[in-house]
């Protein structure tokens, strides 16, 4: 009889050839401490280096390790989603490959899970080895997100968390394409708690989150949880209209009294530019939502699997 899988550890991988072996070793050591059956699900998100070969080698020697290879790079959130879709555990842990989040914390998360919590996330008390820009923008972003959503998204948490099978199934049932998994975990609810610890430097290699991907993720977070930006865009329109009316009043009054010319060329240009800025900015915000509606309407899958290893029904 096949042993029931109690824990699934999902590890998204994008060009992680220099960290994958160390990650595997440490994760295995930690998970062996549980004395329960587990699986580690490596999701290779279209890596261009030797990540796939190295992962396959690990899988060959250890059948607890499973591998999902995407047909191309679909992004971190898609990789996490695939890991959840194919996971079997009663509890599912998501952790980055770079060991920035100490894997030992998983044991603490498991303790909390056994106490009856269905979501255990971690709060970063300190972040090491990241640029001031990244730390600052992340801090501001989490606070902005919290202030504009009605969902209680905990601040300063990444995707490193443990979720119960119930939560995992609820997430799998959500069909949206541009996923912001940590926000969706808050959205589904259930009994949630946190463990605190600091975030270390990347074990090796460099961040796979360039600014472009970070901005995309930030917009996914906001648009999937709130439509307040659209409301604010409307307010801007109202404000611009009001300023226009006031300026018109002043101009007419000055004209009637035949005093100095208020509406000189520079003034007209600057007001026009300002209004264009507001209009295009608001259109940009609308574009963020419309683009995502378009993505949903196309109904394409979140990711495409090219091959798998160590699954009962392997795809080659
Ligand atoms: N990652 C991924 N696909 C991507 C980008 C990143 O699967 O397109 C993975 C990456 O391999 C790592 C995790 O997502 O395991 C987090 O990435 P990273 O550590 O580079 O992000 P940071 O910690 O710098 O925000
Ligand atoms: Mg990292």
């Amino acid at each position: 009889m096949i042993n029931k899988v109690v824990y699934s550890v999902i590890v998204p991988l994008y060009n992680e050839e220099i960290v994958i072996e160390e990650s595997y070793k440490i994760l295995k050591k930690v998970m062996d401490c549980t004395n329960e059956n587990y699986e580690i699900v490596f999701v290779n998100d279209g890596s261009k280096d030797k990540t796939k070969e190295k992962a396959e080698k690990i899988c060959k020697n250890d059948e607890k390790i499973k591998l999902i290879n995407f047909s191309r790079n679909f992004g971190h959130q898609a990789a996490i989603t695939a890991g959840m879709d194919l996971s079997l555990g009663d509890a599912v842990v998501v952790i980055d490959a770079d060991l920035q989040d100490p894997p030992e914390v998983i044991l603490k998360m498991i303790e909390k899970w056994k106490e009856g919590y269905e979501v255990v996330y971690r709060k970063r008390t300190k972040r090491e080895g990241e640029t001031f820009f990244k730390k600052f923008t992340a801090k501001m972003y989490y606070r902005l997100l919290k202030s504009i959503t009605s969902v209680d998204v905990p601040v300063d948490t990444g995707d490193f968390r443990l979720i119960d099978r119930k939560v995992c199934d609820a997430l799998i049932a959500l069909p949206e394409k541009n996923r912001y998994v940590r926000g969706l975990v808050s959205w589904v609810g259930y009994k949630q708690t946190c463990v605190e610890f600091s975030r270390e430097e990347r074990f090796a290699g460099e961040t796979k989150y360039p600014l472009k991907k970070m901005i995309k993720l930030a917009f996914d977070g906001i648009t999937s949880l709130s439509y307040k930006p659209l409301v604010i865009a409307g307010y801007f329109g109202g404000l611009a209209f009001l300023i226009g009316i006031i300026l018109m009043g002043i101009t007419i009054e000055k004209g009637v009294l035949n005093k100095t010319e208020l509406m000189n060329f520079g003034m007209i240009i600057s007001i026009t530019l300002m209004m264009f800025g507001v209009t295009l900015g608001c259109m940009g915000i609308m574009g963020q939502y419309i683009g995502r509606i378009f993505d949903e309407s196309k109904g394409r899958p979140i990711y495409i699997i090219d091959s798998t290893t160590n699954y009962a029904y392997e795809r080659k």
Side-chain angles (χ1 to χ4, degrees):
M1 202 189 96
I2 301 167
N3 269 346
K4 187 171 167 18
V5 178
V6 185
Y7 306 111
S8 298
V9 181
I10 298 168
V11 189
L13 300 162
Y14 180 56
N15 295 344
E16 301 285 12
E17 62 178 6
I18 42 177
V19 305
I20 182 169
E21 276 147 358
E22 188 67 16
S23 292
Y24 161 64
K25 264 189 238 155
I26 297 185
L27 282 174
K28 183 178 165 55
K29 211 163 107 191
V30 169
M31 293 314 291
D32 281 342
C33 294
T34 60
N35 290 323
E36 283 167 297
N37 196 21
Y38 66 87
E39 61 174 2
I40 297 177
V41 182
F42 282 137
V43 187
N44 172 25
D45 182 15
S47 299
K48 294 182 180 73
D49 61 1
K50 296 256 175 306
T51 302
K52 184 179 172 193
E53 289 74 12
K54 290 198 171 177
E56 272 169 355
K57 208 171 129 204
I58 295 170
C59 288
K60 225 180 230 166
N61 298 322
D62 188 344
E63 60 177 19
K64 283 198 163 101
I65 315 303
K66 298 179 175 170
L67 174 64
I68 303 167
N69 288 302
F70 281 179
S71 62
R72 65 166 170 88
N73 179 241
F74 280 91
H76 181 203
Q77 305 292 303
I80 295 174
T81 306
M84 286 183 184
D85 288 348
L86 272 71
S87 68
L88 299 169
D90 294 334
V92 177
V93 178
V94 177
I95 186 165
D96 290 350
D98 57 12
L99 308 178
Q100 267 187 293
D101 301 312
E104 313 81 74
V105 177
I106 295 176
L107 299 176
K108 281 199 197 145
M109 290 178 162
I110 289 175
E111 268 172 38
K112 293 271 182 195
W113 175 64
K114 290 194 166 162
E115 281 171 27
Y117 290 99
E118 284 139 340
V119 175
V120 190
Y121 56 90
R122 64 90 168 75
K123 214 173 140 93
R124 299 162 182 161
T125 48
K126 216 166 68 183
R127 294 171 73 136
E128 301 286 348
E130 287 177 316
T131 59
F132 171 76
F133 177 74
K134 182 151 187 166
K135 281 192 264 194
F136 179 73
T137 47
K139 209 176 165 129
M140 299 311 286
Y141 175 72
Y142 285 121
R143 274 145 192 89
L144 170 76
L145 191 63
K146 198 179 169 74
S147 68
I148 63 171
T149 60
S150 46
V151 182
D152 191 15
V153 188
V155 296
D156 303 330
T157 63
D159 281 313
F160 179 32
R161 64 191 69 213
L162 177 148
I163 57 173
D164 186 80
R165 169 66 21 210
K166 274 194 276 188
V167 181
C168 188
D169 288 343
L171 288 172
I172 292 171
L174 299 178
E176 57 196 89
K177 313 287 178 209
N178 290 294
R179 295 170 91 84
Y180 183 67
V181 176
R182 61 199 85 160
L184 296 180
V185 172
S186 301
W187 185 85
V188 295
Y190 291 102
K191 221 168 133 194
Q192 313 213 355
T193 187
C194 73
V195 286
E196 286 196 10
F197 65 89
S198 63
R199 188 170 214 227
E200 305 300 326
E201 260 179 73
R202 220 173 199 283
F203 157 71
E206 52 190 39
T207 177
K208 306 297 178 306
Y209 255 101
L211 190 62
K212 209 172 126 199
K213 278 188 184 171
M214 243 165 72
I215 292 174
K216 160 86 170 62
L217 184 69
F219 273 112
D220 280 342
I222 293 174
T223 52
S224 79
L225 295 171
S226 166
Y227 49 78
K228 267 205 188 129
L230 288 173
V231 177
I232 295 167
Y235 288 151
F236 269 127
L239 189 70
F241 183 72
L242 209 71
I243 294 172
I245 295 269
I246 294 170
L247 278 176
M248 189 190 249
I250 295 172
T251 316
I252 291 170
E253 197 219 324
K254 300 271 173 188
V256 169
L257 297 176
N258 214 5
K259 284 186 188 162
T260 48
E261 204 182 330
L262 184 79
M263 277 293 160
N264 61 24
F265 189 62
M267 184 81 161
I268 292 172
I269 292 284
S270 60
I271 290 175
T272 312
L273 274 179
M274 207 180 80
M275 292 307 153
F276 261 130
V278 171
T279 314
L280 290 176
C282 293
M283 280 172 69
I285 293 173
M286 280 165 65
Q288 291 287 344
Y289 285 88
I290 293 170
R292 281 165 179 79
I293 297 170
F294 185 48
D295 279 345
E296 299 299 326
S297 70
K298 282 186 286 195
R300 289 184 191 158
I302 298 165
Y303 55 83
I304 295 174
I305 295 176
D306 172 36
S307 62
T308 58
T309 308
N310 282 352
Y311 278 94
Y313 297 98
E314 274 182 30
R315 269 192 257 178
K316 287 282 180 201

